[in-house]
Amino acid sequence: TYHIARWALLGGVGLMLALVLSGLITGARFIERRITGPAQELAIAAEGVAAGDLSKKVNDIGADDEIGRLARAVSAMIDELRRLATALQESATETNTMTAEITASSEEMAASAGQIAHTAADLSQQANTMAQTIQALAGSSENLVGVATELDAGARDGVERNAKLRALAAEN
């Protein structure tokens, strides 16, 4: 009976060890499935996002425990970062477009200012030419007045001579 009890005790201890080992393996698989696996997936997604890869997706764990809440929070964070990156890209595109428009407008304004300066220079040159022409005309008018005065005096002398010649002819 001692041997039977001993073997029964060893068998019971072995069975207990097998049951404990089986329970530990089952517990480890449960922890692996419910905690370690999702935590590792979240860590991989977070590392990818930290490296700038916003294409990472976090699978919905579907649990309401801390890991499930963490998975939903990380997924929402990635979605918000994607939205923010898209908004920044659109803003940068708008800024580039506006910069190009401002540059084009500035170039047009510079060209217009150059044309205005050229036109002003032409007008100034034409005004100088007209002033010189007017001065020349004024000088010519003075000469014409002098010539007209001389002609008037000559005509009066001629009239006086004609009158004298008539008187002389009448006397003769």
Side-chain angles (χ1 to χ4, degrees), residues 88-107:
L88 285 174
Q89 185 176 14
E90 289 172 358
S91 177
T93 302
E94 281 183 32
T95 301
N96 285 340
T97 302
M98 291 174 85
T99 302
E101 289 175 3
I102 289 171
T103 301
S105 296
S106 297
E107 289 173 356

Side-chain angles (χ1 to χ4, degrees), residues 99-166:
T99 302
E101 289 175 3
I102 289 171
T103 301
S105 296
S106 297
E107 289 173 356
E108 287 178 15
M109 287 176 63
S112 296
Q115 288 176 347
I116 289 171
H118 181 69
T119 303
D122 284 347
L123 288 174
S124 175
Q125 183 180 8
Q126 289 176 1
N128 287 337
T129 303
M130 287 177 72
Q132 290 172 355
T133 304
I134 289 171
Q135 285 177 348
L137 285 174
S140 295
S141 328
E142 289 175 9
N143 287 342
L144 282 175
V145 168
V147 169
T149 304
E150 286 179 18
L151 284 176
D152 183 48
R156 287 178 195 218
D157 285 344
V159 169
E160 287 178 18
R161 281 189 207 148
N162 275 345
K164 288 181 184 176
L165 279 173
R166 265 191 223 160

